[in-house]
Amino acid sequence: MEGQSFRTKAVHSGLMEGRQFKTKATPIYQTSVFSFNSLEELEGYFEGDTPYLYTRNGNPNSDELAKGVAALESAPDGVAASSGLGAILAGILAVAQSGHHIVAASDLYGGTYHLIKEELKAFGITASFVDFSDGRAIEAAIQPNTKLLYTETITNPFLRVENVDALVETAKKHELYTMVDNTFATPYLLQPYTKGIDLVVHSATKYIGGHSDITAGVVAGRKELIAAARSRIVNMGMNLSPFESWLAYRGLKTLAIRMERQAKNAQELADFLRQHSQVKKMYYPEYVSEQGNGAVVTIELKEEINMSRFFSSLGWIKIVPSLAGVETTVSYPLGTSHRSLTEKEKHTLGINERVVRISTGIEESSDIIRQVEQAISSALLR
Ligand SMILES: *Cc1c(COP(=O)(O)O)cnc(C)c1O
């Protein structure tokens, strides 16, 4: 693995050794449990001779996925979970216990915001949400019982790029753990573990899987923290099934080629929309990495656009409350991902009825641009 480039690692990283029939693709180990021929062999599991006992404790397919993602993140270890939120919960509970406090970014993915704000109360963990673009606001929110700083490398839907270096610096100063959600960037664009982040989490439902056919999560990072996260996943029943692991790993192999194409399509769409007379605000990062600026473009359309007509004029571009598949899709943050926020929260973030998030796929760039342009013209109130 040493010295291999990202593209090579993406295809070879997780592969399991010693398969019985030397299959090229990893078989799906669709089994809930593993068998033993003797008590000595069974004992061998507990002594580490053989890795598998019961699928909730570990399965070759979910390990393959987790090791694959960890390799691309340049992190020593990883573990898969039944969803992105499952991976986030496992990661958080690996570093925080009852009585601890988290400082989190206020513009998190809606599900993560709810998890941290509401569900963690049952674990006795409290949180403060602050604007992470303001370093002083982060410092001011840190309490004596704060354990963790939590944010996303590229936020949703306004695509703010986190200053990971500054965050690591603040965490070091106050002896805190750091955890980032790298779902929108993927390791193709950013590898925050290499910048000193302790835990990197993915909703593999998105770009890692890439085909909108699974729900899955992975958390990668330092060995001892991943061991703790794995313990939460095993004991709280948040493991990922063999088949979904297999599909996610199948997706991972083409991550580089998909992201390259999808980010290029996003860049071209953003360049087109930036100078469009009906686009009021444009949210597309100016610089994420040398590999590109991501595959999500968010716009706010002008008042002259009938929004309902815009959404029903998109033809082959479907309205999908998710992102990252190989097909170009649009989502409506006000009506879906940010629906449960209060009016004040929506206003502060800038979510309104004119905001549209576009996730570019792998189609021909000119077709995407033409379809979006047609929808805008048909929705123009004259
Ligand atoms: C979708 C998403 C999640 C949640 O992942 P699930 O797989 O739906 O549980 C978390 N963070 C981000 C940035 C997401 O886009």
Side-chain angles (χ1 to χ4, degrees):
M1 199 73 68
E2 248 351 81
Q4 280 186 348
S5 74
F6 190 93
R7 282 168 217 281
T8 309
K9 270 201 282 188
V11 183
H12 293 282
S13 55
L15 282 178
M16 290 288 161
E17 300 291 338
R19 279 168 280 127
Q20 199 178 1
F21 298 113
K22 299 200 167 180
T23 56
K24 180 163 183 280
T26 308
I28 306 170
Y29 291 86
Q30 193 68 32
T31 182
S32 59
V33 68
F34 296 79
S35 61
F36 300 87
N37 289 322
S38 66
L39 290 180
E40 288 71 32
E41 221 181 271
L42 178 63
E43 198 51 34
Y45 166 79
F46 295 94
E47 279 158 19
D49 301 343
T50 166
Y52 301 110
L53 174 75
Y54 186 61
T55 280
R56 179 162 49 73
N57 294 60
N59 176 285
N61 295 112
S62 50
D63 281 355
E64 181 173 62
L65 169 66
K67 283 182 173 34
V69 172
L72 297 189
E73 288 286 359
S74 304
D77 205 1
V79 60
S82 52
S83 67
L85 281 186
I88 292 168
L89 178 60
I92 289 176
L93 295 180
V95 299
Q97 289 93 45
S98 180
H100 288 156
H101 173 258
I102 297 171
V103 176
S106 50
D107 48 0
L108 294 180
Y109 171 79
T112 310
Y113 179 70
H114 177 89
L115 167 69
I116 295 177
K117 186 163 173 246
E118 303 296 339
E119 304 297 337
L120 287 184
K121 282 180 192 164
F123 294 89
I125 299 168
T126 54
S128 306
F129 295 87
V130 298
D131 177 1
F132 265 44
S133 61
D134 178 357
R136 268 177 303 185
I138 301 176
E139 296 254 0
I142 296 170
Q143 305 174 5
N145 62 340
T146 303
K147 264 282 171 216
L148 173 68
L149 300 180
Y150 187 96
T151 188
E152 294 167 1
T153 46
I154 302 180
T155 67
N156 172 39
F158 295 123
L159 313 169
R160 182 176 64 79
V161 182
E162 193 62 77
N163 185 342
V164 168
D165 291 329
L167 198 70
V168 168
E169 190 96 334
T170 307
K172 274 205 186 115
K173 189 167 138 199
H174 296 273
E175 294 182 26
L176 305 174
Y177 290 108
T178 49
M179 179 166 170
V180 298
D181 182 331
N182 201 29
T183 299
F184 273 50
T186 83
Y188 181 70
L189 298 183
L190 295 175
Q191 294 162 16
Y193 182 83
T194 64
K195 304 270 184 177
I197 293 289
D198 298 306
L199 287 168
V200 179
V201 72
H202 281 278
S203 169
T205 312
K206 314 294 165 47
Y207 292 106
I208 304 277
H211 295 73
S212 318
D213 50 11
I214 53 160
T215 299
V218 174
V219 53
R222 284 165 43 190
K223 267 218 145 50
E224 75 279 14
L225 298 182
I226 295 305
R230 183 178 290 114
S231 170
R232 305 297 173 271
I233 287 169
V234 169
N235 296 303
M236 294 177 173
M238 298 192 287
N239 58 296
L240 184 62
S241 79
F243 184 49
E244 299 215 291
S245 302
W246 186 87
L247 281 174
Y249 184 67
R250 189 182 204 250
L252 188 70
K253 294 184 190 192
T254 55
L255 175 68
I257 198 162
R258 282 184 287 110
M259 275 312 281
E260 181 178 6
R261 177 69 184 222
Q262 289 177 252
K264 181 175 162 284
N265 283 349
Q267 185 71 58
E268 289 177 16
L269 180 66
D271 291 345
F272 168 78
L273 291 173
R274 188 172 282 115
Q275 41 79 40
H276 194 289
S277 60
Q278 293 307 318
V279 174
K280 183 171 173 183
K281 285 189 190 154
M282 176 76 210
Y283 303 91
Y284 186 67
E286 265 175 30
Y287 184 82
V288 174
S289 87
E290 275 172 30
Q291 315 302 325
N293 301 318
V296 179
V297 178
T298 300
I299 51 172
E300 183 179 324
L301 289 165
K302 285 194 180 159
E303 281 73 14
E304 289 89 336
I305 297 295
N306 177 323
M307 293 306 291
S308 148
R309 210 186 301 157
F310 169 78
F311 278 105
S312 48
S313 307
L314 281 161
W316 55 269
I317 301 180
K318 297 280 179 294
I319 305 168
V320 173
S322 186
L323 72 151
V326 290
E327 305 88 358
T328 297
T329 57
V330 295
S331 87
Y332 189 50
L334 182 74
T336 53
S337 54
H338 292 71
R339 195 183 186 96
S340 61
L341 297 188
T342 63
E343 287 308 315
K344 185 162 171 277
E345 285 168 333
K346 284 180 212 166
H347 182 78
T348 313
L349 293 179
I351 308 276
N352 63 43
E353 72 285 357
R354 322 199 67 78
V355 172
V356 182
R357 190 188 75 194
I358 306 168
S359 166
T360 52
I362 61 172
E363 302 95 340
E364 193 62 44
S365 163
S366 56
D367 289 334
I368 302 170
I369 292 174
R370 183 156 9 99
Q371 189 58 63
V372 173
E373 151 71 356
Q374 268 174 21
I376 297 177
S377 342
S378 349
L380 187 60
L381 301 167
R382 286 170 232 267

